[in-house]
Amino acid sequence: MGRIAAAGRRVSSAYSPDAPRPLAGYVGELAAYAAVLGLVGARVRAGGRLPRGLGAADVALLGAATHKLSRLLAKSSVTSPLRAPFTRFREPAGPGEVTEEVRLRHPAGHAVGELVTCPFCLGVWVCTGLAAGFVLAPRVTRTAAGALAAVTVADFLHLAYAAAERLAEPDSA
């Protein structure tokens, strides 16, 4: 095991000699992701209920729901207590959102901090969970995804309305 750890340190140091990166933490996250996929795959195989595929409407629903849930988890003020063990508040970042920075140096904690503050990174995990839900509990998942998609539409409408209000102000001409 010591030889594997030493090899990992050599690879990490060669990968990023000037700015340490939490490669060991990323390996842990990848292993967790693979384990979750394995469990979902085993459950699907045992149930034998794999759908033929996703239609365009499913992909749109999954995309809108993934967008909203990943932003909610990664950026929302209200979900900051979930990220707080790994992050530090930096500043507000728009309607109901915050900017945070990773505060842990340990590779595992740092990697988790990066994951939970990045809606793009978190989106892969969220989409995987929702896709698994489409297979394992389709009615519940479609209802939840539909609600998240509706909030996504509402968010864009709020932003469009605010932009229209700014354009309608006398000083904006």
Side-chain angles (χ1 to χ4, degrees):
M1 198 61 156
R3 290 170 58 189
I4 293 172
R9 285 190 295 275
R10 282 193 306 276
V11 166
S12 184
S13 137
Y15 172 73
S16 180
D18 299 325
R21 299 296 302 144
L23 292 184
Y26 296 152
V27 167
E29 286 179 343
L30 290 170
Y33 186 79
V36 168
L37 283 180
L39 290 171
V40 169
R43 176 68 177 95
V44 168
R45 186 174 173 97
R49 302 183 296 181
L50 191 61
R52 285 194 168 94
L54 295 174
D58 288 333
V59 172
L61 178 62
L62 192 57
T66 296
H67 165 79
K68 184 58 192 172
L69 188 53
S70 61
R71 282 206 77 79
L72 183 67
L73 292 172
K75 303 297 271 176
S76 174
S77 303
V78 174
T79 57
S80 60
L82 302 175
R83 299 183 303 275
F86 307 98
T87 63
R88 179 178 297 112
F89 173 80
R90 204 167 73 204
E91 61 191 1
E97 293 190 345
V98 295
T99 298
E100 296 163 327
E101 57 190 20
V102 177
R103 67 178 174 86
L104 300 177
R105 292 180 188 239
H106 184 274
H110 189 94
V112 171
E114 285 187 6
L115 176 64
V116 300
T117 58
C118 173
F120 297 96
C121 306
L122 202 53
V124 173
W125 292 70
V126 167
C127 187
T128 299
L130 289 171
F134 271 38
V135 174
L136 300 173
R139 290 178 63 191
V140 171
T141 305
R142 283 182 195 286
T143 301
L148 288 164
V151 174
T152 300
V153 171
D155 286 349
F156 282 99
L157 290 173
H158 288 306
L159 293 171
Y161 187 88
E165 281 185 319
R166 283 191 302 274
L167 286 174
E169 291 175 0
D171 293 350
S172 66

